[in-house]
Amino acid sequence: MEDRILGLHHITAIAGSAKKNIDFYTKVLGLRLLKKTVNFDDPGTYHLYYGDEAGSPGTILTFFPYESARRGRAGTGMPTHIGYAVPEGSFDFWIKRFEEHNVDFGRPSEKFGEQYLPFRDPDGLLLELVIPKNGDNRKPWETDAVKAEVATRGFHNVTLTLREAKKTAEILTDIFGYKLQDQTGSQFRYSTDAVDSAAIIDLVEMPHANRGEGGAGTNHHIAFRVKDEEVLMRFREKVVSKGLNITEKIDRNYFYSLYFREPGGVLFEIATDNPGFATDETVAELGTHLLLPPQYEPQRAQIEAVLPKLD
Ligand code: ZN
């Protein structure tokens, strides 16, 4: 069986207030809070995960919220726009909802033959609701306010903004098995046929734009999905053979990861399906506990005391 990249695994971004972040993504957007843990490299900060019921790869958006974070600025060398699949006919609902909740949103527009509705989260992160050409049959998480007939299905696409697209495109095609699907001007759409959803990476080439500056309201990295650690380590060899630096395998508790910076400046991660999110709480309880990796468990009381209050 050929090793495949199975589309997107997760996307990680930076936020300001953790409480505002949770309120926006769970209440306004209707995602499930999947996991409440800490930044494994900085346990005084939360790491919040949102997605569908079980935290299926391709639905997972995660944030590092820093209460006093400076706002970043989207620019080149960054994942800049996150596209969520929504059902046809749902834009009227979403526009009304965004108006009611004072969400900053734009007019529906079209790219690559698909309608999309652009909006921003409270920190200014750029998001889009997209009506996929071929639909999306993933089962959505449903809330009282956001029912299945309008709910987000998970990621449709992510846009990387680059000074130059060519070398990034080569990583997608030569290592990850993506193919150029469409092109308009300086926008390139790459997709993989290994999966039906979360399969699209858009590259936008802006040779004269400013480099992005990390901070609240910007994306930190995108993670591509593989089945397990064996496939993960075979992709490690492929990245190394292209002359790129890549980390050793890192245990992220809910998946195993490798990180490398692609030539366009975007931090790429490759992450496994195993073991998944239902390892330290059941699917029914996901997101209800503060979960710490084993190395921080002895310091739980101190960590809980410094973390910001969420309600
Ligand atoms: Zn990650």
Side-chain angles (χ1 to χ4, degrees):
M1 181 59 196
E2 192 197 351
D3 292 336
R4 305 294 309 264
I5 291 285
L6 306 172
L8 288 167
H9 183 281
H10 66 270
I11 298 174
T12 294
I14 302 167
S17 154
K19 179 177 164 24
K20 274 191 193 162
N21 187 258
I22 288 189
D23 286 351
F24 183 79
Y25 284 97
T26 62
K27 292 179 186 159
V28 179
L29 214 51
L31 304 182
R32 184 174 198 194
L33 177 65
L34 281 177
K35 197 62 76 179
K36 195 164 54 178
T37 181
V38 295
N39 183 340
F40 291 4
D41 304 314
D42 176 10
T45 306
Y46 283 113
H47 192 185
L48 303 174
Y49 290 73
Y50 306 97
D52 69 355
E53 181 178 18
S56 310
T59 74
I60 308 159
L61 178 62
T62 96
F63 286 90
F64 293 121
Y66 296 95
E67 298 301 306
S68 58
R70 266 198 329 184
R71 268 213 180 180
R73 196 183 59 203
T76 61
M78 251 187 195
T80 45
H81 302 69
I82 297 171
Y84 272 100
V86 291
E88 192 157 12
S90 65
F91 279 1
D92 287 348
F93 167 86
W94 285 109
I95 288 169
K96 190 156 168 276
R97 188 156 184 79
F98 290 163
E99 282 170 348
E100 281 167 7
H101 292 268
N102 294 315
V103 176
D104 181 5
F105 70 98
R107 228 186 281 255
S109 191
E110 194 182 302
K111 59 183 164 188
F112 299 117
E114 295 178 329
Q115 294 289 315
Y116 71 98
L117 174 65
F119 65 106
R120 289 176 183 265
D121 84 355
D123 293 302
L125 189 71
L126 296 158
L127 298 134
E128 296 166 347
L129 298 176
V130 189
I131 300 172
K133 260 188 245 179
N134 302 321
D136 190 318
N137 56 19
R138 286 176 288 180
K139 183 174 176 278
W141 176 249
E142 190 177 40
T143 68
D144 286 343
V146 183
K147 295 291 185 195
E149 64 264 25
V150 293
T152 61
R153 264 53 184 168
F155 300 134
H156 178 58
N157 62 331
V158 65
T159 301
L160 313 183
T161 299
L162 304 158
R163 283 252 165 108
E164 195 209 328
K166 185 168 176 283
K167 290 206 171 92
T168 305
E170 281 172 11
I171 304 288
L172 295 178
T173 56
D174 299 0
I175 306 183
F176 288 174
Y178 283 64
K179 291 192 174 75
L180 181 64
Q181 185 194 308
D182 205 349
Q183 180 184 354
T184 359
S186 56
Q187 298 186 50
F188 306 85
R189 170 157 285 193
Y190 286 85
S191 65
T192 174
D193 61 5
V195 281
D196 294 330
S197 49
I200 294 170
I201 308 286
D202 290 327
L203 305 183
V204 174
E205 193 169 63
M206 300 183 76
H208 307 296
N210 286 326
R211 281 201 77 83
E213 277 173 32
T218 63
N219 289 301
H220 187 263
H221 64 266
I222 62 170
F224 293 86
R225 172 186 172 206
V226 292
K227 183 166 70 82
D228 58 27
E229 294 154 77
E230 286 175 17
V231 180
L232 183 78
M233 294 316 278
R234 287 198 288 272
F235 272 102
R236 188 176 190 282
E237 291 312 307
K238 294 181 195 192
V239 173
V240 168
S241 73
K242 278 268 177 188
L244 295 164
N245 290 318
I246 184 164
T247 63
E248 295 299 323
K249 181 173 80 178
I250 298 173
D251 181 353
R252 291 302 186 194
N253 238 21
Y254 310 111
F255 43 85
Y256 293 91
S257 289
L258 300 168
Y259 300 83
F260 71 101
R261 204 167 287 280
E262 58 81 26
V266 180
L267 186 60
F268 278 2
E269 177 180 350
I270 309 174
T272 62
D273 278 0
N274 65 301
F277 290 95
T279 48
D280 50 10
E281 49 191 351
T282 63
V283 169
E285 290 177 318
L286 286 178
T288 58
H289 307 97
L290 174 68
L291 291 159
L292 301 177
Q295 68 269 32
Y296 294 131
E297 206 45 74
Q299 301 160 50
R300 176 175 279 274
Q302 296 96 301
I303 289 172
E304 287 186 353
V306 300
L307 284 170
K309 295 283 165 283
L310 298 178
D311 40 29

